[in-house]
mmCIF file of all heavy atoms in Angstrom:
data_model
loop_
_atom_site.group_PDB
_atom_site.id
_atom_site.type_symbol
_atom_site.label_atom_id
_atom_site.label_comp_id
_atom_site.label_asym_id
_atom_site.label_seq_id
_atom_site.Cartn_x
_atom_site.Cartn_y
_atom_site.Cartn_z
ATOM 1 N N ALA A 51 4.779 15.418 11.159
ATOM 2 C CA ALA A 51 4.481 15.278 12.570
ATOM 3 C C ALA A 51 4.421 13.823 13.111
ATOM 4 O O ALA A 51 4.481 13.580 14.288
ATOM 5 C CB ALA A 51 3.180 16.005 12.884
ATOM 6 N N ALA A 52 4.238 12.911 12.177
ATOM 7 C CA ALA A 52 4.053 11.512 12.625
ATOM 8 C C ALA A 52 5.358 10.868 13.064
ATOM 9 O O ALA A 52 6.437 11.154 12.568
ATOM 10 C CB ALA A 52 3.425 10.696 11.494
ATOM 11 N N SER A 53 5.250 9.923 14.005
ATOM 12 C CA SER A 53 6.413 9.173 14.421
ATOM 13 C C SER A 53 6.676 8.080 13.410
ATOM 14 O O SER A 53 5.779 7.402 12.922
ATOM 15 C CB SER A 53 6.096 8.578 15.814
ATOM 16 O OG SER A 53 7.104 7.655 16.128
ATOM 17 N N HIS A 54 7.952 7.885 13.142
ATOM 18 C CA HIS A 54 8.324 6.860 12.101
ATOM 19 C C HIS A 54 8.842 5.604 12.772
ATOM 20 O O HIS A 54 9.460 4.769 12.075
ATOM 21 C CB HIS A 54 9.341 7.446 11.137
ATOM 22 C CG HIS A 54 8.823 8.568 10.314
ATOM 23 N ND1 HIS A 54 7.879 8.409 9.299
ATOM 24 C CD2 HIS A 54 9.086 9.886 10.352
ATOM 25 C CE1 HIS A 54 7.588 9.512 8.772
ATOM 26 N NE2 HIS A 54 8.311 10.473 9.401
ATOM 27 N N GLU A 55 8.685 5.455 14.043
ATOM 28 C CA GLU A 55 9.091 4.258 14.730
ATOM 29 C C GLU A 55 8.040 3.191 14.622
ATOM 30 O O GLU A 55 6.827 3.463 14.714
ATOM 31 C CB GLU A 55 9.379 4.566 16.210
ATOM 32 C CG GLU A 55 10.484 5.570 16.421
ATOM 33 C CD GLU A 55 11.799 5.028 15.922
ATOM 34 O OE1 GLU A 55 12.114 3.849 16.114
ATOM 35 O OE2 GLU A 55 12.556 5.827 15.262
ATOM 36 N N PRO A 56 8.441 1.926 14.443
ATOM 37 C CA PRO A 56 7.454 0.852 14.329
ATOM 38 C C PRO A 56 6.799 0.588 15.714
ATOM 39 O O PRO A 56 7.441 0.869 16.741
ATOM 40 C CB PRO A 56 8.284 -0.331 13.887
ATOM 41 C CG PRO A 56 9.673 -0.033 14.287
ATOM 42 C CD PRO A 56 9.792 1.444 14.233
ATOM 43 N N PRO A 57 5.589 0.098 15.714
ATOM 44 C CA PRO A 57 4.977 -0.201 16.993
ATOM 45 C C PRO A 57 5.723 -1.380 17.702
ATOM 46 O O PRO A 57 6.427 -2.095 17.100
ATOM 47 C CB PRO A 57 3.575 -0.630 16.640
ATOM 48 C CG PRO A 57 3.648 -1.051 15.219
ATOM 49 C CD PRO A 57 4.773 -0.237 14.578
ATOM 50 N N GLU A 58 5.538 -1.493 18.986
ATOM 51 C CA GLU A 58 6.176 -2.548 19.747
ATOM 52 C C GLU A 58 5.749 -3.908 19.231
ATOM 53 O O GLU A 58 4.550 -4.120 18.938
ATOM 54 C CB GLU A 58 5.782 -2.415 21.245
ATOM 55 C CG GLU A 58 6.401 -3.432 22.113
ATOM 56 C CD GLU A 58 5.952 -3.279 23.559
ATOM 57 O OE1 GLU A 58 5.429 -2.265 23.916
ATOM 58 O OE2 GLU A 58 6.158 -4.267 24.317
ATOM 59 N N PHE A 59 6.648 -4.798 19.097
ATOM 60 C CA PHE A 59 6.327 -6.157 18.559
ATOM 61 C C PHE A 59 5.681 -6.958 19.627
ATOM 62 O O PHE A 59 6.185 -7.137 20.754
ATOM 63 C CB PHE A 59 7.621 -6.806 18.069
ATOM 64 C CG PHE A 59 7.355 -8.200 17.501
ATOM 65 C CD1 PHE A 59 6.754 -8.369 16.296
ATOM 66 C CD2 PHE A 59 7.717 -9.271 18.263
ATOM 67 C CE1 PHE A 59 6.524 -9.610 15.783
ATOM 68 C CE2 PHE A 59 7.449 -10.557 17.769
ATOM 69 C CZ PHE A 59 6.868 -10.753 16.518
ATOM 70 N N VAL A 60 4.525 -7.554 19.282
ATOM 71 C CA VAL A 60 3.815 -8.520 20.191
ATOM 72 C C VAL A 60 3.712 -9.793 19.412
ATOM 73 O O VAL A 60 3.086 -9.888 18.378
ATOM 74 C CB VAL A 60 2.453 -7.979 20.594
ATOM 75 C CG1 VAL A 60 1.731 -8.979 21.510
ATOM 76 C CG2 VAL A 60 2.574 -6.599 21.248
ATOM 77 N N PRO A 61 4.322 -10.913 19.935
ATOM 78 C CA PRO A 61 4.262 -12.137 19.192
ATOM 79 C C PRO A 61 3.014 -12.925 19.356
ATOM 80 O O PRO A 61 2.908 -13.951 20.073
ATOM 81 C CB PRO A 61 5.515 -12.878 19.738
ATOM 82 C CG PRO A 61 5.582 -12.384 21.112
ATOM 83 C CD PRO A 61 5.165 -10.953 21.050
ATOM 84 N N TYR A 62 1.932 -12.485 18.669
ATOM 85 C CA TYR A 62 0.665 -13.200 18.756
ATOM 86 C C TYR A 62 0.841 -14.549 18.088
ATOM 87 O O TYR A 62 1.425 -14.649 16.998
ATOM 88 C CB TYR A 62 -0.433 -12.418 18.037
ATOM 89 C CG TYR A 62 -0.845 -11.128 18.750
ATOM 90 C CD1 TYR A 62 -0.526 -9.903 18.176
ATOM 91 C CD2 TYR A 62 -1.484 -11.176 19.988
ATOM 92 C CE1 TYR A 62 -0.865 -8.714 18.848
ATOM 93 C CE2 TYR A 62 -1.803 -9.962 20.639
ATOM 94 C CZ TYR A 62 -1.513 -8.776 20.059
ATOM 95 O OH TYR A 62 -1.854 -7.624 20.685
ATOM 96 N N PRO A 63 0.271 -15.621 18.659
ATOM 97 C CA PRO A 63 0.527 -16.950 18.129
ATOM 98 C C PRO A 63 -0.186 -17.224 16.769
ATOM 99 O O PRO A 63 0.185 -18.073 16.007
ATOM 100 C CB PRO A 63 0.000 -17.905 19.219
ATOM 101 C CG PRO A 63 -0.941 -17.078 20.004
ATOM 102 C CD PRO A 63 -0.474 -15.663 19.938
ATOM 103 N N HIS A 64 -1.245 -16.409 16.429
ATOM 104 C CA HIS A 64 -1.968 -16.673 15.237
ATOM 105 C C HIS A 64 -1.463 -15.846 14.051
ATOM 106 O O HIS A 64 -1.933 -16.013 12.900
ATOM 107 C CB HIS A 64 -3.495 -16.343 15.448
ATOM 108 C CG HIS A 64 -3.703 -14.907 15.766
ATOM 109 N ND1 HIS A 64 -3.526 -14.383 16.993
ATOM 110 C CD2 HIS A 64 -4.177 -13.869 14.958
ATOM 111 C CE1 HIS A 64 -3.818 -13.054 16.942
ATOM 112 N NE2 HIS A 64 -4.190 -12.792 15.731
ATOM 113 N N LEU A 65 -0.395 -15.084 14.232
ATOM 114 C CA LEU A 65 0.165 -14.283 13.145
ATOM 115 C C LEU A 65 1.496 -14.808 12.776
ATOM 116 O O LEU A 65 2.193 -15.453 13.531
ATOM 117 C CB LEU A 65 0.283 -12.844 13.617
ATOM 118 C CG LEU A 65 -0.956 -12.047 13.909
ATOM 119 C CD1 LEU A 65 -0.602 -10.666 14.395
ATOM 120 C CD2 LEU A 65 -1.860 -11.990 12.677
ATOM 121 N N ARG A 66 1.904 -14.581 11.494
ATOM 122 C CA ARG A 66 3.179 -14.967 10.955
ATOM 123 C C ARG A 66 3.491 -16.433 11.158
ATOM 124 O O ARG A 66 4.571 -16.849 11.528
ATOM 125 C CB ARG A 66 4.286 -14.065 11.522
ATOM 126 C CG ARG A 66 4.225 -12.676 11.087
ATOM 127 C CD ARG A 66 5.189 -11.788 11.831
ATOM 128 N NE ARG A 66 4.809 -11.551 13.234
ATOM 129 C CZ ARG A 66 3.879 -10.718 13.621
ATOM 130 N NH1 ARG A 66 3.202 -10.004 12.750
ATOM 131 N NH2 ARG A 66 3.553 -10.513 14.876
ATOM 132 N N ILE A 67 2.492 -17.300 10.893
ATOM 133 C CA ILE A 67 2.651 -18.715 10.936
ATOM 134 C C ILE A 67 3.340 -19.243 9.674
ATOM 135 O O ILE A 67 2.964 -18.902 8.581
ATOM 136 C CB ILE A 67 1.304 -19.447 11.089
ATOM 137 C CG1 ILE A 67 0.630 -19.017 12.358
ATOM 138 C CG2 ILE A 67 1.488 -20.948 11.005
ATOM 139 C CD1 ILE A 67 -0.806 -19.500 12.481
ATOM 140 N N ARG A 68 4.443 -19.929 9.853
ATOM 141 C CA ARG A 68 5.241 -20.478 8.695
ATOM 142 C C ARG A 68 5.146 -21.965 8.681
ATOM 143 O O ARG A 68 5.772 -22.619 9.554
ATOM 144 C CB ARG A 68 6.690 -20.069 8.731
ATOM 145 C CG ARG A 68 6.959 -18.549 8.850
ATOM 146 C CD ARG A 68 6.848 -17.889 7.529
ATOM 147 N NE ARG A 68 7.500 -16.574 7.482
ATOM 148 C CZ ARG A 68 6.882 -15.442 7.809
ATOM 149 N NH1 ARG A 68 5.629 -15.458 8.132
ATOM 150 N NH2 ARG A 68 7.519 -14.336 7.716
ATOM 151 N N THR A 69 4.309 -22.545 7.828
ATOM 152 C CA THR A 69 4.276 -24.039 7.753
ATOM 153 C C THR A 69 5.310 -24.557 6.847
ATOM 154 O O THR A 69 5.698 -25.757 6.913
ATOM 155 C CB THR A 69 2.847 -24.479 7.333
ATOM 156 O OG1 THR A 69 2.570 -23.878 6.049
ATOM 157 C CG2 THR A 69 1.836 -24.098 8.321
ATOM 158 N N LYS A 70 5.701 -23.735 5.835
ATOM 159 C CA LYS A 70 6.832 -24.117 4.984
ATOM 160 C C LYS A 70 7.551 -22.843 4.497
ATOM 161 O O LYS A 70 6.954 -21.785 4.592
ATOM 162 C CB LYS A 70 6.373 -24.975 3.800
ATOM 163 C CG LYS A 70 5.516 -24.276 2.842
ATOM 164 C CD LYS A 70 5.131 -25.183 1.695
ATOM 165 C CE LYS A 70 4.398 -24.389 0.577
ATOM 166 N NZ LYS A 70 4.141 -25.235 -0.566
ATOM 167 N N LYS A 71 8.759 -22.982 4.025
ATOM 168 C CA LYS A 71 9.547 -21.783 3.693
ATOM 169 C C LYS A 71 9.068 -21.208 2.369
ATOM 170 O O LYS A 71 8.472 -21.914 1.510
ATOM 171 C CB LYS A 71 11.014 -22.195 3.513
ATOM 172 C CG LYS A 71 11.671 -22.562 4.825
ATOM 173 C CD LYS A 71 13.124 -22.752 4.577
ATOM 174 C CE LYS A 71 13.810 -22.954 5.965
ATOM 175 N NZ LYS A 71 15.138 -22.498 5.938
ATOM 176 N N PHE A 72 9.224 -19.906 2.228
ATOM 177 C CA PHE A 72 8.891 -19.242 0.962
ATOM 178 C C PHE A 72 9.913 -19.699 -0.083
ATOM 179 O O PHE A 72 11.112 -20.007 0.225
ATOM 180 C CB PHE A 72 9.022 -17.709 1.087
ATOM 181 C CG PHE A 72 7.922 -17.115 1.868
ATOM 182 C CD1 PHE A 72 8.227 -16.457 3.070
ATOM 183 C CD2 PHE A 72 6.611 -17.145 1.458
ATOM 184 C CE1 PHE A 72 7.215 -15.846 3.841
ATOM 185 C CE2 PHE A 72 5.602 -16.581 2.216
ATOM 186 C CZ PHE A 72 5.947 -15.910 3.389
ATOM 187 N N PRO A 73 9.571 -19.853 -1.360
ATOM 188 C CA PRO A 73 10.418 -20.381 -2.384
ATOM 189 C C PRO A 73 11.503 -19.418 -2.882
ATOM 190 O O PRO A 73 12.160 -19.662 -3.875
ATOM 191 C CB PRO A 73 9.499 -20.783 -3.491
ATOM 192 C CG PRO A 73 8.309 -19.929 -3.343
ATOM 193 C CD PRO A 73 8.172 -19.627 -1.876
ATOM 194 N N TRP A 74 11.691 -18.281 -2.207
ATOM 195 C CA TRP A 74 12.699 -17.347 -2.640
ATOM 196 C C TRP A 74 13.547 -16.893 -1.444
ATOM 197 O O TRP A 74 13.102 -16.970 -0.263
ATOM 198 C CB TRP A 74 12.083 -16.066 -3.299
ATOM 199 C CG TRP A 74 10.989 -15.488 -2.468
ATOM 200 C CD1 TRP A 74 11.101 -14.656 -1.410
ATOM 201 C CD2 TRP A 74 9.601 -15.762 -2.627
ATOM 202 N NE1 TRP A 74 9.895 -14.368 -0.868
ATOM 203 C CE2 TRP A 74 8.960 -15.042 -1.554
ATOM 204 C CE3 TRP A 74 8.804 -16.509 -3.459
ATOM 205 C CZ2 TRP A 74 7.577 -15.025 -1.382
ATOM 206 C CZ3 TRP A 74 7.470 -16.548 -3.278
ATOM 207 C CH2 TRP A 74 6.855 -15.817 -2.250
ATOM 208 N N GLY A 75 14.667 -16.384 -1.710
ATOM 209 C CA GLY A 75 15.574 -15.903 -0.614
ATOM 210 C C GLY A 75 15.851 -16.919 0.434
ATOM 211 O O GLY A 75 16.123 -18.120 0.106
ATOM 212 N N ASP A 76 15.888 -16.476 1.688
ATOM 213 C CA ASP A 76 16.171 -17.436 2.760
ATOM 214 C C ASP A 76 14.934 -18.150 3.235
ATOM 215 O O ASP A 76 14.993 -18.996 4.124
ATOM 216 C CB ASP A 76 16.751 -16.650 3.979
ATOM 217 C CG ASP A 76 15.768 -15.660 4.630
ATOM 218 O OD1 ASP A 76 14.726 -15.424 4.038
ATOM 219 O OD2 ASP A 76 16.075 -15.126 5.672
ATOM 220 N N GLY A 77 13.744 -17.904 2.624
ATOM 221 C CA GLY A 77 12.523 -18.622 2.953
ATOM 222 C C GLY A 77 11.740 -18.047 4.110
ATOM 223 O O GLY A 77 10.641 -18.498 4.431
ATOM 224 N N ASN A 78 12.300 -17.032 4.804
ATOM 225 C CA ASN A 78 11.583 -16.454 5.885
ATOM 226 C C ASN A 78 10.987 -15.100 5.586
ATOM 227 O O ASN A 78 10.156 -14.574 6.324
ATOM 228 C CB ASN A 78 12.543 -16.340 7.093
ATOM 229 C CG ASN A 78 11.812 -16.176 8.432
ATOM 230 O OD1 ASN A 78 10.651 -16.572 8.557
ATOM 231 N ND2 ASN A 78 12.485 -15.620 9.363
ATOM 232 N N HIS A 79 11.402 -14.444 4.491
ATOM 233 C CA HIS A 79 10.923 -13.144 4.132
ATOM 234 C C HIS A 79 9.895 -13.251 3.062
ATOM 235 O O HIS A 79 10.056 -14.032 2.094
ATOM 236 C CB HIS A 79 12.053 -12.253 3.592
ATOM 237 C CG HIS A 79 13.130 -11.953 4.625
ATOM 238 N ND1 HIS A 79 14.084 -12.852 5.019
ATOM 239 C CD2 HIS A 79 13.304 -10.880 5.411
ATOM 240 C CE1 HIS A 79 14.861 -12.295 5.901
ATOM 241 N NE2 HIS A 79 14.374 -11.084 6.186
ATOM 242 N N SER A 80 8.779 -12.519 3.127
ATOM 243 C CA SER A 80 7.727 -12.508 2.125
ATOM 244 C C SER A 80 8.238 -11.888 0.840
ATOM 245 O O SER A 80 9.347 -11.301 0.843
ATOM 246 C CB SER A 80 6.503 -11.822 2.624
ATOM 247 O OG SER A 80 6.765 -10.454 2.838
ATOM 248 N N LEU A 81 7.565 -12.017 -0.283
ATOM 249 C CA LEU A 81 8.027 -11.534 -1.528
ATOM 250 C C LEU A 81 8.255 -9.984 -1.487
ATOM 251 O O LEU A 81 9.214 -9.459 -2.034
ATOM 252 C CB LEU A 81 7.033 -11.882 -2.645
ATOM 253 C CG LEU A 81 7.466 -11.478 -4.047
ATOM 254 C CD1 LEU A 81 8.780 -12.149 -4.420
ATOM 255 C CD2 LEU A 81 6.387 -11.879 -5.045
ATOM 256 N N PHE A 82 7.344 -9.263 -0.886
ATOM 257 C CA PHE A 82 7.485 -7.753 -0.781
ATOM 258 C C PHE A 82 7.827 -7.383 0.605
ATOM 259 O O PHE A 82 7.242 -6.437 1.222
ATOM 260 C CB PHE A 82 6.173 -7.144 -1.209
ATOM 261 C CG PHE A 82 5.781 -7.446 -2.625
ATOM 262 C CD1 PHE A 82 4.768 -8.366 -2.930
ATOM 263 C CD2 PHE A 82 6.466 -6.896 -3.648
ATOM 264 C CE1 PHE A 82 4.448 -8.668 -4.213
ATOM 265 C CE2 PHE A 82 6.155 -7.231 -4.995
ATOM 266 C CZ PHE A 82 5.100 -8.074 -5.268
ATOM 267 N N HIS A 83 8.760 -8.051 1.222
ATOM 268 C CA HIS A 83 9.186 -7.769 2.629
ATOM 269 C C HIS A 83 9.894 -6.377 2.725
ATOM 270 O O HIS A 83 10.711 -6.036 1.929
ATOM 271 C CB HIS A 83 10.157 -8.820 3.114
ATOM 272 C CG HIS A 83 10.568 -8.699 4.529
ATOM 273 N ND1 HIS A 83 9.679 -9.070 5.554
ATOM 274 C CD2 HIS A 83 11.725 -8.213 5.094
ATOM 275 C CE1 HIS A 83 10.341 -8.772 6.678
ATOM 276 N NE2 HIS A 83 11.507 -8.278 6.387
ATOM 277 N N ASN A 84 9.481 -5.665 3.796
ATOM 278 C CA ASN A 84 10.108 -4.415 4.131
ATOM 279 C C ASN A 84 10.572 -4.490 5.564
ATOM 280 O O ASN A 84 9.754 -4.657 6.469
ATOM 281 C CB ASN A 84 9.077 -3.257 3.942
ATOM 282 C CG ASN A 84 9.685 -1.934 4.255
ATOM 283 O OD1 ASN A 84 10.762 -1.767 4.842
ATOM 284 N ND2 ASN A 84 8.971 -0.871 3.810
ATOM 285 N N SER A 85 11.848 -4.475 5.764
ATOM 286 C CA SER A 85 12.396 -4.711 7.096
ATOM 287 C C SER A 85 12.049 -3.605 8.104
ATOM 288 O O SER A 85 12.132 -3.883 9.342
ATOM 289 C CB SER A 85 13.913 -4.831 7.029
ATOM 290 O OG SER A 85 14.485 -3.598 6.586
ATOM 291 N N HIS A 86 11.556 -2.464 7.666
ATOM 292 C CA HIS A 86 11.167 -1.417 8.611
ATOM 293 C C HIS A 86 9.708 -1.555 9.067
ATOM 294 O O HIS A 86 9.385 -1.078 10.128
ATOM 295 C CB HIS A 86 11.374 -0.063 7.949
ATOM 296 C CG HIS A 86 12.760 0.245 7.533
ATOM 297 N ND1 HIS A 86 13.813 0.387 8.447
ATOM 298 C CD2 HIS A 86 13.311 0.367 6.338
ATOM 299 C CE1 HIS A 86 14.909 0.637 7.818
ATOM 300 N NE2 HIS A 86 14.634 0.596 6.536
#
Side-chain angles (χ1 to χ4, degrees):
S53 171
H54 296 289
E55 295 299 318
E58 181 182 344
F59 179 75
V60 180
Y62 293 112
H64 64 282
L65 297 177
R66 292 171 288 282
I67 297 172
R68 305 279 199 269
T69 56
K70 65 179 188 174
K71 292 185 173 211
F72 290 116
W74 51 81
D76 66 351
N78 200 24
H79 295 79
S80 64
L81 184 60
F82 300 105
H83 182 77
N84 182 344
S85 60
H86 300 293

